[in-house]
Amino acid sequence: MFVYADNAATTKMSKLAIETMVPYYESVFGNPSSLHSAGQEAKEALENARATVAACLGCDPREIYFTSGGSEADNQAIISAARYGARKNKKHIISTAFEHHAVLHTLNKLEKEGYEITLLDVKEGHNVTAQQVKDAIREDTCLVTCMYANNEIGSVLPIGEIGAICKEAGVPFHTDAVQAAGHLHIDVKAQNIDMLSLSAHKFHGPKGVGVLYVRRGFPMTNLIEGGAQERSKRAGTENIPGICALAAALKDACDHMEEHTATVTAMRDKLIEGLSQIPHCALNGDPVNRLPGNVSFCFEGIEGESLLLLLDMHGICASSGSACTSGSLDPSHVLLAIGRVHDVAHGSLRLSLSHYNTMEEIDHILTYVPKVVQQLRNMSPVWRDLQNGVREYIL
Ligand SMILES: *Cc1c(COP(=O)(O)O)cnc(C)c1O
């Protein structure tokens, strides 16, 4: 059995998204900037896609900018707010300790330029509260950027409440909604969101295309200079096939959100319930305000990498927070941020589901994860020490 349970990393494209792309390679391949009919046809497709995305987010099409993905949208949102803030002598930014690196690394860069960054603590409940945001806002705060939902541990943040607080304080509010778009209800006006990032490949669209929503009138800084595309805020010939597929996939996800949420949540809850039976484990992330498809655990006495490799041999594609892929042996900043100590954080497992998963697949996962955890523990010197009382259990 092959089970793809790594949908937080990327999703399989839907047939709809694939079929939407094809005509824009085969026949409607013009450059939207061209004045001839082939170009104008592409331009029309682009503007239709923009209107579709705007309708899904509850904003005006003129507030939608297409980008190369979530990372670019995050970078541009944060840099825009930072540059605007500097012009008013405001150089303080509030964010959270468990943001995606697209946000954290941009903030690191700004810190080196003299901005002051406050990262809100996420240990309590593996989440932040609107009150934490409120308490952190200062006279010189030029941006609050908090993710809508965490990609590793699934916590869903109180975005509407944070938006209301930012609005009241007159501080621009950006949210990285890459994990939320197409999965959770978004209404940028009702939630007082000034800027929002999303990415097509997290909701069964293609890779390499995303959106930055920016409230009308908010001054943007370009990351890419060149032509006058995207109202001169993002140069480069538009990725029409990708943009049209993004719009179709987002609309499809929003149209079927309730139904998908119900199926995915049922599978998630069965997995959480089943995996909780493994001794000396802990669920990561907010147990209540949680993405429908996220399951994240730490198992004491094992290495996440070995777990992934063994699960892969049983056909299960999962992920671990302790990514040594980057050549670093440091456990995930997210797991450390919620207070997991290094040893525990190393034994992490993330299973992220989509509506393409089935209950049979959940049963397959529930058969093999406990076996593989036990198999690894049997070989682990750390586990032996824990069992012999030489070391104390943390979980
Ligand atoms: C995937 C992801 C990103 C990056 O999006 P890309 O389109 O891959 O650049 C940013 N933030 C979060 C929360 C993500 O899950």
Side-chain angles (χ1 to χ4, degrees), residues 159-192:
I159 291 303
E161 286 175 52
I162 297 172
I165 280 165
C166 291
K167 187 182 179 181
E168 197 187 321
V171 177
F173 175 41
H174 164 254
T175 183
D176 172 344
V178 175
Q179 290 292 328
H183 305 285
L184 301 173
H185 183 70
I186 297 175
D187 183 335
V188 292
K189 300 299 168 193
Q191 293 171 305
N192 292 301

Side-chain angles (χ1 to χ4, degrees), residues 78-79 82-83 91 93 104-119:
I78 294 167
I79 297 294
R83 299 295 174 244
K91 296 181 82 174
I93 300 175
L104 288 179
H105 290 174
T106 305
L107 295 178
N108 286 344
K109 190 168 82 174
L110 290 171
E111 193 169 32
K112 289 193 191 106
E113 289 180 22
Y115 286 80
E116 204 182 318
I117 314 295
T118 300
L119 294 183

Side-chain angles (χ1 to χ4, degrees), residues 199-368:
S199 177
H201 75 103
K202 303 291 175 75
F203 49 83
H204 308 287
K207 291 163 184 62
V209 59
V211 162
L212 175 59
Y213 148 80
V214 182
R215 182 176 54 74
R216 251 191 122 187
F218 193 85
M220 290 171 73
T221 298
N222 289 30
L223 299 184
I224 300 172
E225 302 294 346
Q229 291 91 353
E230 299 299 286
R231 293 177 302 289
S232 297
K233 300 303 179 202
R234 202 282 184 182
T237 302
E238 301 88 340
N239 172 7
I240 300 295
I243 288 168
C244 292
L246 178 151
L250 184 61
K251 179 167 179 359
D252 188 45
C254 293
D255 287 349
H256 297 97
M257 195 178 288
E258 263 181 58
E259 167 198 337
H260 291 166
T261 301
T263 20
V264 175
T265 305
M267 293 190 283
R268 174 199 73 185
D269 290 346
K270 185 170 181 186
L271 264 184
I272 292 180
E273 164 71 19
L275 297 179
S276 301
Q277 311 300 317
I278 297 174
H280 305 286
C281 77
L283 179 69
N284 301 312
D286 191 319
V288 180
N289 299 307
R290 189 176 191 92
L291 279 171
N294 178 283
V295 177
S296 171
F297 275 93
C298 282
F299 301 106
E300 197 162 5
I302 64 164
E303 289 291 336
E305 281 69 42
S306 326
L307 181 58
L308 290 192
L309 294 177
L310 289 183
L311 288 178
D312 196 31
M313 290 169 61
H314 294 290
I316 300 166
C317 299
S319 152
S320 167
S322 47
C324 333
T325 42
S326 54
S328 111
L329 274 170
D330 288 338
S332 131
H333 69 283
V334 175
L335 297 174
L336 296 179
I338 61 168
R340 298 288 181 226
V341 297
H342 273 68
D343 281 355
V344 168
H346 273 304
S348 64
L349 174 69
R350 178 188 72 187
L351 297 155
S352 44
L353 311 172
S354 82
H355 64 276
Y356 290 123
N357 289 113
T358 63
M359 276 295 180
E360 288 68 43
E361 294 177 354
I362 301 305
D363 290 335
H364 183 79
I365 297 173
L366 285 173
T367 303
Y368 285 103

Side-chain angles (χ1 to χ4, degrees), residues 8-9 68-72 74 99-103 147 149-151 176-179 198-202 208-210:
S68 66
S71 299
E72 185 189 330
D74 284 343
E99 295 295 313
H100 190 272
H101 281 141
V103 169
M147 66 201 321
N150 186 275
N151 48 305
D176 172 344
V178 175
Q179 290 292 328
L198 61 81
S199 177
H201 75 103
K202 303 291 175 75
V209 59

